[in-house]
Amino acid sequence: MPTETNRQNVFPRNSSFDVSNLRGGMSPGFLPRSPIRPSRLHSDNYSIDFSEGTMRSDTASSIASEDVYSHSDLLSMNRDDDLEVRSLESLGSTREQGTLADVCVKLQAALADAAKYRVQLNEEICKREKAEMDLASVIQKEDETKSALIKEKQEMEFLHKHEIEMIQRQLDLLQEEHKKVQEERDNAVKEEILHKQEIKIVQNRLDLLQEEYNKLQERDNAVKEEVLHKQEINIVQSRLDLLLVEYKKLKEERDKAVEEAEELRGSAGHRSHATFSKISLLELEQATENFSKKHKIGEGGFGSVYKGFLRNTMVAIKMLHPQSLQGKPEFEQEVAVLSTMRHPNLVTLIGICSEKSALIYEYLPNGSLEDRLACQGGTPPLTWQVRMRIIGEICRALLFLHSNPNPIVHGDLKPANILLDGNLVCKLSDFGISRLLMETNSNTLVYRTEYPRGTFAYMDPEFLTSGELTVKSDVYSFGIIILRLLTGNPPINIAADVEDAIETHSLHLIIDESAGEWPFVQAEKLANLGLRCAQMRRRKRLDLESEWKLVEGLMQASSLSVSPSFKSQLDEKGTPSYFMCPISQEVMKDPHVAADGYTYEAEAIKGWLDGGHKTSPMTNLPLPHQELTPNYALRSAIQEWLVKHS
């Protein structure tokens, strides 16, 4: 550390040096060239005063960079100090050599110490500058951080404020809703209280009324019982009167129907009783809603067909065109045939309306075979098993028609005239051009006409050329129908196409695949059967009765339930099966038609219904109603048969 004397030898910059103060001897006018720089350095926290050799704090000031000298300046100052010392020494030698030498030595030492302190100070200043720069950088970063924090805080405060406002709004809304709910609840409670009070008042009134009613009931019981007895007696009497009138009316209708049937069958060459009911035009209008279009289910050259609900039974009503010249003869011919024939595969004639030349048949919901082959209305194709069964049923119906003493030829057999019931059982219809065959001089059964009629594609070629209609004419039509059911092709040239397919062993290519996978052996037998029936020459066509076993075998091979054969339609006593009640299995005395379309003995079907059954005994399907309709036609036929076999 420098001594007090050394500290006093450090002078400010540009100040004069009075040598006379150094123990006298120096000239008062001598002014040394002082190289010494300002002796005070400033910083943020302290200042160094070399003139006093101490360091003091000065927090209020900052460093003045322009008053700080570099290391090279300090070295230059040292050299100048050395020159001054030498000058002083030279001066002192002339006056006071001893004292001046000491002073110079001390001064030189002080200057050396000052130079050393200057170097240290400069190093400290550099470190201080670096520290200040680091501090400034830290302060700047701190300021930036503070600014970011302040900004984030402001944003958070804004968001919190916004959220608080939203929550406050929601709270306000919830409070309003709560207030409304509370008000509604209070109102509901008030209303409930009022309702309870009203209910209580009404209950009291009801109790009073009940008491009064009970008193009146007790008072009037005797009177009412007496009145009821009188009314019951009157009702029973009225019913008896009505039944008596109805009985007389039915008896008159039956007698009249029998007379008409006698006349019709007499004109046809054989005797029988009528088996149909007379139906008025008013009943037909009510059944069809005055022949509304929505009830029309078919139309053709003969007329229109309507669906209707007549006498608790669904029926089909065929209205012949009144302007048709052939309408009346066809009407009479169909009545004559169907009124004398009953068979499971013939359509049932329920009644006639002479006023409108209308025929009323049983309703068959599945339409015609032609419609089903065309899948009309989106119905699924008939399977090959069903087709095989239909072929057998057609064959059985033809055998029935052809085996009469005077055979009946249908004359217009085609898929459009073959109807299907709910179980796809076929029934032949449209007997308008059918004919009774009469024995000729050549002992053959034939009907001759100059104007052959029918559908060209199914008509017997020899009937077209000769005008002679025989049972073989129906056989030809049957053959074309077989080939149609097998192939699904149109009837024109179908026989030639099937024959070519058999000869070229390509029958499998023309079989109708929509019917399923036909067994080839059965399909081939069926194709040959159809071709043998559809021969161009009448004498080459097969005989149905002799070939029935083949047809029946094909039906059995189709794995479907087979209806009894033609001969089995008669039991051991020769009773037609359709005379038998399906429930009691006895000949019916009072046949009635139920809602399922089947005919039963009245007592048997009533017992079935009274036993709680709501389904058909035949189909097990629900019955739409439990009304029964007398089947006068079948009852007349049974009575006639019983008379003949009595």
Side-chain angles (χ1 to χ4, degrees):
M1 293 294 293
T3 63
E4 182 68 27
T5 306
N6 293 336
R7 287 196 300 270
Q8 292 176 356
N9 290 331
V10 180
F11 301 99
R13 186 176 181 182
N14 296 328
S15 64
S16 62
F17 184 79
D18 191 357
V19 184
S20 63
N21 295 329
L22 300 174
R23 296 182 180 180
M26 295 284 311
S27 175
F30 176 74
L31 298 173
R33 182 175 62 86
S34 177
I36 299 174
R37 303 298 180 183
S39 59
R40 177 165 295 183
L41 298 174
H42 302 275
S43 68
D44 291 338
N45 301 318
Y46 62 87
S47 65
I48 303 174
D49 189 353
F50 289 99
S51 64
E52 298 177 355
T54 62
M55 180 182 294
R56 63 186 177 86
S57 173
D58 189 3
T59 58
S61 63
S62 62
I63 297 175
S65 59
E66 63 272 10
D67 293 336
V68 179
Y69 294 93
S70 65
H71 181 66
S72 60
D73 292 336
L74 294 174
L75 293 177
S76 177
M77 283 189 254
N78 290 334
R79 286 193 296 273
D80 292 341
D81 291 339
D82 291 338
L83 291 177
E84 290 179 0
V85 171
R86 292 190 191 97
S87 298
L88 292 174
E89 287 177 353
S90 64
L91 290 173
S93 66
T94 60
R95 297 179 180 180
E96 294 180 358
Q97 293 294 331
T99 302
L100 184 60
D102 294 335
V103 172
C104 288
V105 171
K106 293 178 180 180
L107 180 61
Q108 188 173 5
L111 291 173
D113 290 337
K116 181 179 178 181
Y117 290 144
R118 288 190 186 99
V119 172
Q120 292 177 356
L121 179 61
N122 191 37
E123 292 176 355
E124 290 294 333
I125 290 169
C126 291
K127 293 179 180 179
R128 177 63 181 175
E129 289 177 350
K130 183 178 180 184
E132 288 176 351
M133 291 177 66
D134 293 341
L135 180 60
S137 176
V138 171
I139 291 171
Q140 183 180 1
K141 291 181 179 179
E142 184 179 0
D143 293 340
E144 292 176 354
T145 303
K146 287 181 179 180
S147 300
L149 289 173
I150 291 170
K151 185 177 180 180
E152 185 177 356
K153 182 179 180 182
Q154 292 175 349
E155 292 177 353
M156 291 298 292
E157 289 178 351
F158 176 77
L159 291 175
H160 286 319
K161 184 178 180 181
H162 184 68
E163 290 178 355
I164 290 171
E165 291 177 354
M166 292 293 292
I167 292 171
Q168 187 62 38
R169 292 194 197 97
Q170 292 179 357
L171 286 174
D172 295 340
L173 292 174
L174 289 174
Q175 288 178 355
E176 291 179 0
E177 291 180 359
H178 177 71
K179 187 176 180 181
K180 291 180 180 179
V181 171
Q182 187 67 26
E183 292 176 355
E184 291 177 356
R185 189 181 69 83
D186 295 340
N187 293 332
V189 171
K190 293 178 181 178
E191 290 180 357
E192 184 178 0
I193 293 171
L194 292 174
H195 285 317
K196 288 181 179 178
Q197 293 175 352
E198 292 177 355
I199 290 171
K200 188 175 181 180
I201 293 171
V202 172
Q203 186 63 41
N204 293 333
R205 291 179 179 176
L206 286 175
D207 294 338
L208 293 174
L209 291 173
Q210 184 66 36
E211 292 178 1
E212 293 179 1
Y213 175 77
N214 292 335
K215 292 178 181 178
L216 292 173
Q217 188 72 21
E218 292 175 358
R219 189 179 302 169
D220 296 339
N221 278 339
V223 177
K224 287 183 178 180
E225 288 179 0
E226 185 178 356
V227 171
L228 288 174
H229 286 310
K230 289 181 179 180
Q231 290 178 349
E232 288 177 357
I233 293 171
N234 293 333
I235 291 171
V236 171
Q237 187 63 41
S238 299
R239 288 180 179 176
L240 288 174
D241 294 339
L242 290 174
L243 289 174
L244 183 60
V245 172
E246 185 177 356
Y247 171 76
K248 292 180 179 179
K249 183 178 178 182
L250 291 176
K251 186 176 180 181
E252 291 175 358
E253 289 181 355
R254 178 184 176 279
D255 295 340
K256 186 177 180 181
V258 170
E259 291 177 1
E260 292 178 354
E262 288 288 345
E263 294 176 358
L264 290 172
R265 295 197 60 143
S267 61
H270 59 286
R271 185 173 174 274
S272 178
H273 293 283
T275 57
F276 55 83
S277 300
K278 289 287 187 178
I279 298 173
S280 66
L281 178 60
L282 178 61
E283 288 182 279
L284 296 185
E285 291 175 346
Q286 292 175 348
T288 60
E289 296 184 25
N290 202 19
F291 302 104
S292 172
K293 289 184 179 180
K294 68 179 181 180
H295 291 285
K296 183 181 288 189
I297 59 176
E299 188 170 8
F302 58 85
S304 302
V305 179
Y306 295 87
K307 176 183 176 182
F309 195 69
L310 180 67
R311 297 181 182 179
N312 300 318
T313 304
M314 193 64 66
V315 297
I317 303 169
K318 181 177 179 181
M319 304 287 295
L320 300 180
H321 286 315
Q323 65 272 21
S324 174
L325 296 178
Q326 298 174 341
K328 193 63 175 177
E330 290 181 4
F331 172 80
E332 294 176 352
Q333 180 64 26
E334 192 153 3
V335 170
V337 173
L338 293 179
S339 64
T340 60
M341 299 291 178
R342 282 293 181 273
H343 189 271
N345 299 120
L346 298 181
V347 67
T348 301
L349 178 67
I350 295 176
I352 65 171
C353 177
S354 302
E355 299 175 66
K356 275 286 186 179
S357 297
L359 301 172
I360 296 86
Y361 304 97
E362 60 177 324
Y363 176 70
L364 302 174
N366 277 313
S368 69
L369 179 60
E370 183 68 42
D371 294 339
R372 299 289 71 78
L373 288 176
C375 297
Q376 187 173 349
T379 56
L382 297 175
T383 63
W384 67 269
Q385 293 96 333
V386 172
R387 299 185 188 200
M388 194 79 74
R389 177 170 56 79
I390 290 174
I391 290 171
E393 291 171 349
I394 297 172
C395 183
R396 188 170 60 235
L398 292 178
L399 285 172
F400 175 78
L401 293 173
H402 298 169
S403 61
N404 279 312
N406 291 325
I408 297 176
V409 179
H410 188 281
D412 194 17
L413 188 64
K414 59 182 178 179
N417 290 334
I418 299 172
L419 305 180
L420 302 175
D421 68 4
N423 297 318
L424 296 177
V425 174
C426 78
K427 294 178 181 287
L428 274 58
S429 67
D430 200 352
F431 288 83
I433 64 172
S434 61
R435 291 292 180 266
L436 290 171
L437 301 185
M438 306 300 293
E439 188 172 351
T440 61
N441 296 331
S442 58
N443 294 326
T444 59
L445 296 172
V446 65
Y447 171 80
R448 290 188 175 88
T449 179
E450 296 180 358
Y451 306 100
R453 297 176 56 198
T455 304
F456 176 76
Y458 298 91
M459 286 180 67
D460 176 10
E462 288 196 4
F463 177 47
L464 285 172
T465 57
S466 65
E468 293 182 353
L469 186 67
T470 69
V471 294
K472 293 295 182 75
S473 300
D474 282 346
V475 173
Y476 177 87
S477 303
F478 177 54
I480 300 298
I481 292 173
I482 292 175
L483 299 181
R484 278 212 65 191
L485 289 169
L486 177 66
T487 65
N489 294 337
I492 302 298
N493 296 326
I494 191 173
D497 294 339
V498 173
E499 189 173 4
D500 292 341
I502 292 176
E503 291 178 356
T504 58
H505 304 287
S506 59
L507 180 63
H508 61 284
L509 297 178
I510 64 172
I511 291 176
D512 189 359
E513 296 180 353
S514 67
E517 188 175 353
W518 288 82
F520 184 75
V521 174
Q522 294 187 35
E524 190 173 27
K525 289 182 179 179
L526 202 61
N528 287 321
L529 178 66
L531 290 176
R532 290 170 60 197
C533 290
Q535 289 291 320
M536 298 294 291
R537 303 294 297 176
R538 186 178 296 168
R539 57 184 178 83
K540 292 184 179 181
R541 297 171 197 160
L542 58 79
D543 180 66
L544 291 182
E545 188 173 0
S546 61
E547 297 294 334
W548 168 247
K549 290 296 181 183
L550 171 63
V551 177
E552 190 174 33
L554 291 175
M555 291 175 66
Q556 292 174 348
S558 66
S559 72
L560 286 175
S561 60
V562 183
S563 301
S565 64
F566 166 67
K567 292 183 179 180
S568 64
Q569 291 298 310
L570 302 178
D571 61 9
E572 295 178 355
K573 297 180 180 180
T575 305
S577 62
Y578 49 92
F579 287 178
M580 310 291 291
C581 174
I583 298 177
S584 64
Q585 293 299 316
E586 295 179 355
V587 177
M588 291 180 284
K589 298 178 181 179
D590 187 12
H592 277 65
V593 180
D596 58 359
Y598 289 91
T599 302
Y600 306 90
E601 176 62 33
E603 292 184 2
I605 188 62
K606 287 178 181 178
W608 170 270
L609 297 175
D610 293 341
H613 297 91
K614 297 182 179 180
T615 58
S616 167
M618 297 296 291
T619 64
N620 203 30
L621 297 175
L623 293 171
H625 57 80
Q626 295 188 356
E627 300 292 336
L628 301 175
T629 303
N631 192 338
Y632 299 118
L634 183 58
R635 184 172 63 180
S636 178
I638 294 173
Q639 290 175 352
E640 180 185 2
W641 180 84
L642 289 174
V643 170
K644 289 182 178 179
H645 294 79
S646 59

